[in-house]
Amino acid sequence: MTMACDDAGTSRVTRFEVFTGAGRRRDWPQEVKASILAASFSGQETVCSVARRHSMSPSQLFTWRRQLRRQ
């Protein structure tokens, strides 16, 4: 099956990213994890902005918050 593209071969690639592997797995020290959680519960910024500031996935931070509430 072929598909027609209006710009096939005429546009330049301006950005090219190569993803290798699944990324890095970090082991967060308890003190750091506690401070990140405290910032996420402070209400001064969103959970997503706290996660972004610490270069982590928002879903990871939401999981940490859920685990803390269950304790």
Side-chain angles (χ1 to χ4, degrees):
M1 180 169 118
T2 59
M3 297 178 68
C5 295
D6 292 338
D7 66 345
T10 59
S11 63
R12 293 178 50 194
V13 175
T14 57
R15 183 175 181 175
F16 186 77
E17 294 184 54
V18 177
F19 296 98
T20 58
R24 63 181 193 256
R25 178 169 275 232
R26 292 182 275 184
D27 186 24
W28 296 91
Q30 287 300 318
E31 311 83 48
V32 174
K33 189 173 178 178
S35 70
I36 293 170
L37 279 166
S40 75
F41 280 111
S42 71
Q44 295 179 358
E45 58 184 320
T46 65
V47 174
C48 290
S49 65
V50 173
R52 192 177 318 115
R53 185 163 36 95
H54 293 283
S55 301
M56 63 185 298
S57 168
S59 64
Q60 178 67 57
L61 185 50
F62 279 113
T63 299
W64 287 0
R65 289 166 52 102
R66 189 171 44 252
Q67 290 170 345
L68 183 64
R69 283 192 301 265
R70 287 182 183 161
Q71 288 181 359

